[in-house]
Amino acid sequence: MIKFTIITLFQEAIEPYLKTSMMWKAVDKGLAEFDFVNLRDFGLGPHKSVDDTPYGGGDGMLLRCEPVFAAIESIKEKDPTALVILPTPVGETWTQDLARKFASGLGAFRSAAARELAPSARGDGPDGRGPESDANFLHYIILCPHYEGYDERILSLVDYKISLGKYVLTGGELPALIIIDSVVRLIPGVLGGETSAEIESFSDGDNLEYPQYTKPADFRGMKVPDILLSGNHGEIAKWRKEHSGKAK
Ligand code: ADE
């Protein structure tokens, strides 16, 4: 079971996707759980403010420390093992390999990002406690920043900084969904049918899936390769291996 607690100002932008298709099925099967924390609930003053202008000047607003610390502390009070993910363009680039590590829990703590972890999260703190002590339950908190960025001191709470790629988005909601989707589909039992080993083979390094076809065998003159109609499983496997895509 993997639980994601998403701290956001825009739950409505995320929730419909998580209530759809495989994400919903994962929850229904008891393999995943999604929870939301509204950052606004921890905002300051009558307007529940969560952001302010940067010291030193500059454009835009930054997420303030107080609401973010209070929100994360409220979650960690209930589950101190929860790990904090911050989507940010300056994080480690998200890959299938990282998704696999986050899905299995154990390996996640040996990633490059893990070396920068706070000792308690790494599991080598004084009490040796870490999420790998209970591989059956993993809890990730995803903090979705908005506005122009966040106060740097927020990083003291963060276990993993994750970038989706070399472009800048307006907030952490889309990265949160991508991280969640790519991790949850790797939980054994979520996709049904496939064994996790088979899933691994598709996601090995940069090997992508081979071309696939369904009926009809001839669509407007575009024909399915004969080999796939041959029933020769050995040859089909060979063809698929030869035609597996490579990431650019
Ligand atoms: N927030 C804004 N841009 C981002 C990116 N490319 N990856 C992760 N989080 C982001």
Side-chain angles (χ1 to χ4, degrees):
M1 144 74 81
I2 301 186
K3 177 172 179 173
F4 287 93
T5 301
I6 305 143
I7 304 175
T8 176
L9 293 166
F10 302 103
Q11 177 171 341
E12 68 279 11
I14 302 179
E15 202 171 18
Y17 187 83
L18 298 181
K19 288 196 162 158
T20 308
S21 187
M22 303 316 296
M23 298 301 109
W24 177 82
K25 280 191 185 152
V27 172
D28 198 47
K29 289 179 180 170
L31 299 170
E33 188 183 334
F34 306 123
D35 202 7
F36 289 93
V37 167
N38 186 349
L39 191 60
R40 190 70 64 197
D41 292 345
F42 298 88
L44 305 176
H47 296 110
K48 296 280 177 194
S49 168
V50 298
D51 60 334
D52 215 322
T53 52
Y55 278 122
D59 285 342
M61 304 287 271
L62 303 181
L63 271 189
R64 292 178 64 116
C65 286
E66 302 94 319
V68 171
F69 273 66
I72 290 178
E73 281 160 8
S74 77
I75 301 162
K76 288 213 175 190
E77 232 163 61
K78 288 175 237 148
D79 180 7
T81 71
L83 289 168
V84 180
I85 299 171
L86 177 75
T88 163
V90 296
E92 182 175 2
T93 305
W94 189 244
T95 59
Q96 186 64 23
D97 198 39
L98 267 185
R100 205 181 301 123
K101 285 172 176 163
F102 276 67
S104 67
L106 225 143
F109 305 98
R110 304 210 177 96
S111 74
R115 287 193 282 280
E116 292 176 21
L117 284 181
S120 67
R122 214 164 38 215
D124 58 2
D127 59 356
R129 185 185 49 74
E132 57 266 60
S133 59
D134 181 3
N136 295 321
F137 179 74
L138 292 165
H139 187 180
Y140 298 111
I141 298 168
I142 306 187
L143 170 65
C144 299
H146 237 270
Y147 310 110
E148 301 301 310
Y150 45 83
D151 186 304
E152 191 73 7
R153 291 167 290 187
I154 286 170
L155 293 182
S156 65
L157 292 178
V158 170
D159 297 302
Y160 296 96
K161 289 182 281 173
I162 298 294
S163 165
L164 263 292
K166 293 185 178 175
Y167 45 82
V168 181
L169 300 162
T170 54
E173 284 74 19
L174 284 172
L177 279 177
I178 289 170
I179 292 166
I180 292 170
D181 186 294
S182 54
V183 169
V184 167
R185 68 182 286 284
L186 293 176
I187 303 172
V190 168
L191 293 187
E194 304 98 315
T195 65
S196 57
E198 275 164 340
I199 295 168
E200 290 284 297
S201 78
F202 287 138
S203 56
D204 194 14
D206 289 337
N207 279 321
L208 302 176
E209 281 193 51
Y210 41 78
Q212 301 194 85
Y213 304 85
T214 184
K215 296 179 189 68
D218 183 340
F219 178 68
R220 298 184 181 177
M222 294 181 280
K223 294 199 172 70
V224 174
D226 286 341
I227 187 79
L228 299 179
L229 310 175
S230 69
N232 183 335
H233 295 295
E235 285 301 310
I236 290 172
K238 210 171 120 200
W239 182 92
R240 285 179 168 168
K241 202 158 185 236
E242 283 164 11
H243 289 78
S244 287
K246 284 269 179 206
K248 299 253 179 339

